[in-house]
Amino acid sequence: MRVLIVDDEPLARAKLRRMLAPWPALEVVGEAGDGVQALQLCATLAPDAVFLDVQMPGCSGLDVAASLPDPAPEVVFVTAFDRYALQAFDAAALDYLLKPVEPERLARAVQRLLERDRPAAAPALPAQQLLIADRGRVHVVDCAQIDWLEAADNYVHVGAREWLMRRPLAALLADLPSHFARVHRSAAVNLHRVAHVLPRGDKGDALVVLRSGAEVPCSRAWRAALVARLGPG
């Protein structure tokens, strides 16, 4: 498993590298001292996992986690602050370690990483519910009630309600049931909520009208696949 260490403190990076050395299955392929460099190295090195500090100048670890390329590496946050834990797990973190990192706690995080790296015995079942953090509370949202998803600012639309999700759209769709379909680079809809599809303009684009009355743009690139999935009639 190829690992990237991200921390603005060189001594912290060196210490974590030493602590990871006993696991031959982990190869530290790079280090980054800030969030921007971290994203650059993720794009070029494609690590399987990132040990990611939260508070860094310029671009925080949470910002990095929300901007990781697809497929995103596993993320283990390593920070001196416990107040970001909810946001970290909302960003699909695998684990959250507090500094100074205890060897036993690091061992459990590594074990979880290695288990993720093994071939799955069976495909994971799609999530039927989403856990959404909002103003200090965690809300359970039934996926069947979701109308559409919006990548711009990562909104989940449920009727007139908008929920903010700090996960990239592609990562979110990978965990959802198959009746969610991409209709645009920045949007996906619940196929069970589609009322009809209207042509829009002369470039092959369309407008997806949902039963709630919401209208979601559908680009030409996704229109044929959407219509095929909706079926005849």
Side-chain angles (χ1 to χ4, degrees):
M1 172 172 274
R2 304 168 74 252
V3 170
L4 179 70
I5 297 175
V6 182
D7 198 306
D8 61 326
E9 299 178 10
L11 290 178
R13 297 198 302 270
K15 181 179 180 180
L16 186 55
R17 179 187 280 269
R18 289 196 300 272
M19 293 182 74
L20 292 174
W23 284 279
L26 298 184
E27 178 191 4
V28 179
V29 295
E31 296 182 10
D34 57 56
V36 174
Q37 186 185 18
L39 288 172
Q40 291 171 341
L41 290 180
C42 283
T44 57
L45 299 177
D48 302 302
V50 179
F51 285 85
L52 185 58
D53 190 13
V54 175
Q55 281 199 344
M56 294 183 290
C59 181
S60 74
L62 293 169
D63 294 332
V64 171
S67 305
L68 287 170
D70 191 24
E74 301 286 356
V75 175
V76 176
F77 282 101
V78 185
T79 175
F81 306 95
D82 60 3
R83 61 177 178 270
Y84 301 111
L86 187 59
Q87 292 172 266
F89 284 110
D90 194 31
L94 180 72
D95 213 332
Y96 191 91
L97 303 179
L98 286 175
K99 298 177 181 177
V101 178
E102 298 178 354
E104 296 80 7
R105 188 65 185 84
L106 179 63
R108 291 206 299 272
V110 170
Q111 184 61 34
R112 296 186 68 187
L113 278 175
L114 296 179
E115 289 174 353
R116 287 291 185 96
D117 197 37
R118 294 172 183 165
L125 294 174
Q128 299 302 317
Q129 297 174 325
L130 288 182
L131 302 182
I132 300 179
D134 180 58
R135 300 177 183 177
R137 294 186 178 182
V138 178
H139 301 271
V140 180
V141 177
D142 187 346
C143 293
Q145 302 302 315
I146 296 173
D147 291 317
W148 62 290
L149 309 167
E150 182 180 4
D153 297 324
N154 298 333
Y155 282 116
V156 175
H157 295 262
V158 183
R161 184 73 186 264
E162 290 181 343
W163 299 92
L164 177 62
M165 288 285 294
R166 292 184 175 83
R167 292 183 63 188
L169 181 59
L172 190 57
L173 284 173
D175 291 338
L176 290 178
S178 59
H179 56 78
F180 284 89
R182 199 84 175 248
V183 296
H184 193 276
R185 180 172 53 85
S186 59
V189 299
N190 182 344
L191 295 176
H192 297 167
R193 298 286 187 169
V194 175
H196 47 267
V197 180
L198 301 175
R200 185 188 192 191
D202 56 0
K203 297 183 179 179
D205 295 340
L207 196 64
V208 182
V209 182
L210 303 180
R211 295 176 182 173
S212 64
E215 297 178 342
V216 184
C218 176
S219 63
R220 182 179 60 181
W222 301 94
R223 181 180 176 182
L226 171 66
V227 172
R229 294 193 62 184
L230 289 171

